[in-house]
Amino acid sequence: MTPLTLNIIGAGKLGKTLGRLWQQRGVFQVQSICNRSEQSARAAAQFIGAGTACREIDAMADADCWLIASSDGQIAPLAKQVAARLAPRLSRRSDTVVFHCSGALGSEVLAPCRPAAIASAHPVHSFADPQSSLQTLAGSSVALEGDAPAVSMLQRAFTAIGCEVLTIAPEHKALYHAGSVFACNYLTALLDLSLRTFAAAGIERIQALKLLKPIVLQTAENNLRLGPEQALTGPIARGDSETVAAQLRALENTDARLAQCYRHLGLACVELARRGQLPDDAAARLTELLSEPTP
Ligand SMILES: NC(=O)c1ccc[n+]([C@@H]2O[C@H](COP(=O)([O-])OP(=O)(O)OC[C@H]3O[C@@H](n4cnc5c(N)ncnc54)[C@H](OP(=O)(O)O)[C@@H]3O)[C@@H](O)[C@H]2O)c1
């Protein structure tokens, strides 16, 4: 069967990785590529092993499917340009699909491209290093939402490169994305808080990273295997308010921001521990201790 054709606007880290995987598996024939600079589009075509670099959207060939993989802020203005490019042909090609891969935006940002079918497809994967993403993307999940014909085309396309596909309602897209932000970006912020606290205790960064590696990996593994209620250990899970009070005093004497984060996350731990074994009276003591003192 002849593969469907794909145009990519913004073949950066994500766009060129998907382009190459789809091209290699014969899912899509990558056709026209338009980046901010023509030089970058040519480099993307070389990485993908197919596609013609175009200076502007108007110069791109007709295609079954259009991916807008620019930075999030450029998606809305680019959608208007794609709409203008598609307009003369869409009455004949109402099966055209236009999609983006942002986690934060819904498919509606592509509404100017209608009557093309529109969708968003967010891979829960970090494309920091495209060369290694070629090997590691398979097994990642992709959240899809949008018009049914676009969602079903993308379901097939992502499944063909080994991704797990889930569909979400458009009104839940922001919450879905916040869920990933908690686990991915906030975990990074947590590790930074941990390193800053170790530094205040005189432990060098390189040693702190070495110390953290096994416990962070083991904690992640325990959480994913047992669920957070069972994985939680430490002073809050044990209801040990004296230890919590001593740590809070030490942090307050060191850095008010670290103490504030310790309080907020500590309260989230108390809520979690209450769903486990923590008795109500111990939870109440810890909640009082961790709440911001009234000025
Ligand atoms: N990176 C990730 O891990 C990841 C994960 C999930 C989803 N996403 C989503 O994927 C999308 C792309 O992210 P990315 O990390 O791949 O971005 P990126 O590496 O910065 O690539 C963005 C590409 O868009 C091009 N571009 C920007 N403005 C343009 C314009 N006005 N016209 C044409 N091309 C334009 C850039 O061209 P030049 O090369 O010429 O500058 C670049 O090639 C975003 O929506 C992001 O939210 C990314």
Side-chain angles (χ1 to χ4, degrees):
M1 211 170 76
T2 333
L4 296 171
T5 49
L6 173 72
N7 282 351
I8 306 176
I9 299 163
K13 290 191 279 293
L14 172 140
K16 68 183 179 190
T17 306
L18 291 178
R20 175 149 157 189
L21 289 169
W22 279 328
Q23 177 73 29
Q24 276 179 341
R25 305 284 155 85
V27 179
F28 288 118
Q29 171 65 44
V30 175
Q31 195 165 250
S32 300
I33 300 170
C34 180
N35 283 6
R36 237 174 336 206
S37 81
E38 203 182 348
Q39 192 188 11
S40 159
R42 273 200 298 270
Q46 199 164 23
F47 182 89
I48 293 168
T52 307
C54 296
R55 259 178 223 271
E56 51 192 29
I57 291 174
D58 272 349
M60 297 175 88
D62 286 340
D64 300 302
C65 191
W66 294 65
L67 163 59
I68 303 180
S70 62
S71 48
D72 287 3
Q74 287 294 306
I75 293 174
L78 286 169
K80 289 195 182 129
Q81 290 184 49
V82 172
R85 161 66 186 74
L86 292 177
R89 294 143 171 105
L90 263 189
S91 50
R92 284 187 283 127
R93 295 292 311 271
S94 57
D95 52 347
T96 301
V97 165
V98 183
F99 75 106
H100 69 72
C101 289
S102 164
L105 300 173
S107 55
E108 271 307 306
V109 68
L110 303 175
C113 299
R114 287 206 162 105
I118 56 172
S120 72
H122 177 241
V124 189
H125 178 88
S126 170
F127 290 85
D129 174 5
Q131 198 65 46
S132 77
S133 285
L134 293 172
Q135 318 302 327
T136 55
L137 181 66
S140 307
S141 293
V142 179
L144 295 176
E145 63 77 31
D147 298 342
V151 167
S152 75
M153 176 198 280
L154 293 170
Q155 237 159 3
R156 287 192 298 277
F158 279 102
T159 306
I161 53 173
C163 294
E164 301 282 331
V165 171
L166 71 142
T167 50
I168 51 166
E171 65 272 24
H172 292 148
K173 182 87 195 258
L175 275 178
Y176 150 80
H177 190 232
S180 317
V181 166
F182 267 126
C184 186
N185 307 153
Y186 284 18
L187 177 60
T188 305
L190 270 186
L191 290 179
D192 181 55
L193 293 171
S194 172
L195 289 172
R196 281 164 57 186
T197 308
F198 281 132
I203 299 171
E204 282 185 22
R205 187 181 173 90
I206 195 151
Q207 197 178 4
L209 285 168
K210 205 165 155 191
L211 178 162
L212 281 175
K213 187 173 173 181
I215 194 163
V216 168
L217 295 180
Q218 189 195 8
T219 304
E221 215 274 319
N222 286 346
N223 273 279
L224 295 173
R225 192 164 49 85
L226 305 170
E229 291 85 355
Q230 298 300 316
L232 185 69
T233 57
I236 290 180
R238 290 192 298 270
D240 184 351
S241 50
E242 281 176 27
T243 300
V244 172
Q247 291 181 354
L248 199 45
R249 274 196 304 277
L251 288 167
E252 261 156 3
N253 290 335
T254 305
D255 181 331
R257 183 83 188 113
L258 290 177
Q260 188 191 30
C261 292
Y262 184 93
R263 284 181 188 280
H264 289 179
L265 290 162
L267 288 169
C269 275
V270 174
E271 266 177 47
L272 175 59
R274 286 190 73 157
R275 303 209 302 270
Q277 305 286 318
L278 188 67
D280 285 350
D281 55 340
R285 263 198 314 281
L286 285 163
T287 301
E288 194 186 340
L289 186 59
L290 289 163
S291 299
E292 291 288 346
T294 33

